[in-house]
């Protein structure tokens, strides 16, 4: 039974067979202002929608703050307090944390919002699954921790970042380039790629499961082939992966934000 099933799933879309997800979904055609520098495709429109929704959400949640909070105010205060206390203050301390909290808070909520669009019906693609946004966020994080280090230590920041004390001097010939690569090259690259690839993988899994479900139910089973009942399994996997993607969306926002805070803290530290 598995061989016929696999042949059905892998069939060419030209003959009505199953067509799986492709990388082309991450480069959709333009929808507005096509052919101009302001061209907007589906992903860009989703990003604008998320920014608008976040502004409205935060405005509505903070416009009438009460001493005895409502449920909505309590939930918002919990989320803001979590980022402030568990990420920013615990990593940077209160003094330095207040300086960088606006950007770190923006990172956390913006990434969650952009990630969650991958599981919202009608949107169904994480806005962070296209390299532009993760790259911009990583560049902002890079500028912040480099700025923090140079502002506090001047050019001594380079020495603190590249020279490991207590190591025999001949080893510095090898270690300084490695420390430079790790600190100034790999940090922003890994920040961007970690976020990007997690969202790409999640999108591909969800599209695969739900496209297969549609195919099995409305093509195979509709033609009287009982093997189409496999759609029950693919639908169950789709629901499971949706819950997993919800967890990953929040986790990646947390990881990106706390790693940025850690990099800033390392830049502010007096030495290794």
């Amino acid at each position: 039974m598995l061989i016929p099933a696999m042949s059905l799933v892998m069939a060419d879309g030209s003959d009505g067979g199953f067509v799986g997800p492709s990388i082309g979904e991450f480069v959709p055609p333009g929808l507005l202002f096509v052919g101009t520098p302001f061209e907007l495709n589906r992903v860009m429109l989703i990003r604008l929608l998320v920014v608008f929704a976040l502004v409205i959400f935060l405005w509505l949640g903070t416009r009438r703050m009460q001493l005895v909070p409502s449920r909505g105010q309590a939930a918002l205060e919990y989320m803001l307090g979590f980022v402030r206390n568990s990420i920013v203050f615990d990593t940077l301390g209160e003094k330095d944390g207040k300086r960088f909290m606006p950007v770190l808070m923006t990172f956390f909520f913006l990434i969650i919002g952009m990630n969650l669009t991958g599981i919202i019906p009608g949107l169904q693609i994480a806005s962070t699954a296209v390299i532009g946004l993760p790259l911009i966020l990583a560049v902002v994080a890079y500028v912040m921790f480099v700025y923090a280090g140079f502002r506090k230590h001047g050019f001594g920041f380079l020495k603190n970042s590249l020279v490991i004390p207590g190591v025999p001097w001949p080893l510095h010939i090898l270690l300084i380039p490695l420390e430079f690569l790790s600190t100034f090259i790999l940090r922003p690259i890994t920040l961007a790629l970690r976020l990007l690839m997690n969202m790409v993988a999640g999108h591909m899994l969800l599209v695969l499961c739900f496209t297969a479900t549609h195919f099995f139910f409305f093509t195979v089973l509709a033609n009287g082939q009982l093997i189409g009942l496999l759609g029950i399994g693919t639908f169950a996997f789709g629901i499971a992966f949706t819950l997993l993607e919800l967890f990953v969306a929040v986790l990646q926002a947390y990881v990106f934000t706390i790693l940025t805070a850690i990099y800033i803290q390392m830049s502010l530290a007096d030495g290794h």
Side-chain angles (χ1 to χ4, degrees), residues 6-73:
M6 290 300 294
S7 64
L8 282 169
V9 171
M10 299 304 294
D12 189 342
S14 60
D15 59 4
F18 174 79
V19 179
S22 70
I23 201 68
E25 296 180 28
F26 301 101
V27 283
L31 297 176
L32 297 175
F33 313 117
V34 178
T36 72
F38 306 101
E39 180 175 318
L40 298 176
N41 58 27
R42 177 168 167 258
V43 174
M44 291 299 299
L45 290 174
I46 291 174
R47 289 172 177 170
L48 293 175
L49 176 63
V50 170
V51 172
F52 177 76
L54 283 174
V55 170
I56 295 299
F57 169 72
L58 293 173
W59 176 68
L60 291 176
T62 57
R63 65 173 180 160
R64 293 180 180 175
M65 305 291 283
Q66 300 175 0
L67 185 60
V68 179
S70 63
R71 291 182 180 180
Q73 180 182 330

Side-chain angles (χ1 to χ4, degrees), residues 84-104:
R84 182 190 63 188
N85 298 323
S86 300
I87 297 179
V88 181
F89 286 176
D90 283 358
T91 305
L92 295 171
E94 186 171 349
K95 179 181 178 182
D96 290 322
K98 286 181 177 179
R99 293 168 52 202
F100 297 98
M101 186 164 57
V103 179
L104 294 173

Side-chain angles (χ1 to χ4, degrees), residues 171-186:
L171 290 180
H172 288 309
I173 300 174
L174 173 63
L175 293 177
I176 287 177
L178 291 177
E179 288 292 315
F180 178 83
L181 180 66
S182 172
T183 301
F184 296 101
I185 305 298
L186 292 182

Side-chain angles (χ1 to χ4, degrees), residues 4-256:
M6 290 300 294
S7 64
L8 282 169
V9 171
M10 299 304 294
D12 189 342
S14 60
D15 59 4
F18 174 79
V19 179
S22 70
I23 201 68
E25 296 180 28
F26 301 101
V27 283
L31 297 176
L32 297 175
F33 313 117
V34 178
T36 72
F38 306 101
E39 180 175 318
L40 298 176
N41 58 27
R42 177 168 167 258
V43 174
M44 291 299 299
L45 290 174
I46 291 174
R47 289 172 177 170
L48 293 175
L49 176 63
V50 170
V51 172
F52 177 76
L54 283 174
V55 170
I56 295 299
F57 169 72
L58 293 173
W59 176 68
L60 291 176
T62 57
R63 65 173 180 160
R64 293 180 180 175
M65 305 291 283
Q66 300 175 0
L67 185 60
V68 179
S70 63
R71 291 182 180 180
Q73 180 182 330
L76 180 60
E77 287 179 353
Y78 174 81
M79 290 186 287
L80 295 173
F82 171 77
V83 179
R84 182 190 63 188
N85 298 323
S86 300
I87 297 179
V88 181
F89 286 176
D90 283 358
T91 305
L92 295 171
E94 186 171 349
K95 179 181 178 182
D96 290 322
K98 286 181 177 179
R99 293 168 52 202
F100 297 98
M101 186 164 57
V103 179
L104 294 173
M105 194 79 73
T106 301
F107 275 180
F108 185 81
F109 285 99
L110 183 64
I111 293 173
I112 283 184
M114 297 293 180
N115 288 351
L116 288 179
T117 58
I119 60 174
I120 296 177
L123 303 180
Q124 296 170 320
I125 185 170
S127 310
T128 45
V130 180
I131 187 60
L133 183 58
L135 186 61
I136 290 174
L137 294 175
V139 168
V140 173
Y142 176 83
V143 170
M144 279 203 304
F145 78 74
V146 171
Y147 162 79
F150 274 108
R151 179 170 181 178
K152 181 170 183 179
H153 302 292
F155 283 97
F157 168 60
L158 292 176
K159 179 182 177 182
N160 291 342
S161 300
L162 303 179
V163 179
I164 301 176
V167 174
W169 70 265
L171 290 180
H172 288 309
I173 300 174
L174 173 63
L175 293 177
I176 287 177
L178 291 177
E179 288 292 315
F180 178 83
L181 180 66
S182 172
T183 301
F184 296 101
I185 305 298
L186 292 182
R187 281 183 186 178
I189 291 176
T190 54
L191 276 176
L193 291 183
R194 183 185 296 106
L195 177 59
L196 172 71
M197 298 313 297
N198 273 280
M199 293 302 104
V200 168
H203 174 78
M204 299 293 272
L205 283 172
L206 291 180
V207 172
L208 179 63
C209 289
F210 289 118
T211 305
T213 300
H214 185 276
F215 171 71
F216 279 124
F217 281 159
F218 297 100
T219 300
V220 181
L221 191 61
N223 289 333
Q225 302 179 56
L226 292 181
I227 197 174
L229 293 174
L230 286 174
I232 298 174
T234 58
F235 180 75
F237 275 113
I239 296 299
F241 283 130
T242 298
L243 296 176
L244 177 62
E245 190 69 2
L246 175 61
F247 171 74
V248 171
V250 178
L251 177 64
Q252 287 305 309
Y254 174 81
V255 169
F256 193 103

